[in-house]
Amino acid sequence: MVDLVVNFDTLHQLYRAYMPFIQPAGLFVATTESHYLGQELTIAYQLPGSTVRHEFQGLVVWINPLGASGGRPAGIGVKIVSDASTHKHHIENLLSRELASGDLTCTM
């Protein structure tokens, strides 16, 4: 059962959601639903330009509450636990040029 579904329509959206400082990788999911640190979730996501829906098991490791500083959206950061290297590879291949950007993300 999938707990949350995320569709990344643009590379910029994916860049803002990717959490490379989470090892092995993490994604930010905008949501106003209540979650707690350490919560296990199944996340489904679709990358820009793709019709394939990927799924992973993850753990909540970050929470942006409603009204977070810097105008950041409410949501959670989820550490990718299942098949993390494959998900990281797909995401980082798409973001290869953006990863060195200084643009703000949803978390930092």
Side-chain angles (χ1 to χ4, degrees), residues 10-102:
T10 67
L11 286 177
H12 185 69
Q13 286 176 332
L14 180 60
Y15 168 80
R16 286 186 40 88
Y18 186 52
M19 302 174 77
F21 55 90
I22 301 297
Q23 294 300 316
L27 280 176
F28 180 82
V29 179
T31 180
T32 56
E33 296 175 20
S34 290
H35 296 279
Y36 57 89
L37 293 175
Q39 182 177 2
E40 294 180 10
L41 298 172
T42 300
I43 306 293
Y45 67 97
Q46 191 169 322
L47 296 171
S50 176
T51 58
V52 177
R53 190 166 112 167
H54 304 276
E55 288 185 19
F56 67 86
Q57 297 296 118
L59 294 173
V60 176
V61 295
W62 185 284
I63 298 175
N64 276 1
L66 283 170
S69 66
R72 288 178 170 81
I76 55 173
V78 182
K79 176 180 179 175
I80 300 171
V81 175
S82 62
D83 202 16
S85 61
T86 299
H87 295 286
K88 181 177 182 171
H89 177 76
H90 289 304
I91 293 167
E92 288 188 353
N93 273 348
L94 284 175
L95 293 179
S96 60
R97 292 186 181 138
E98 284 77 14
L99 287 176
S101 171

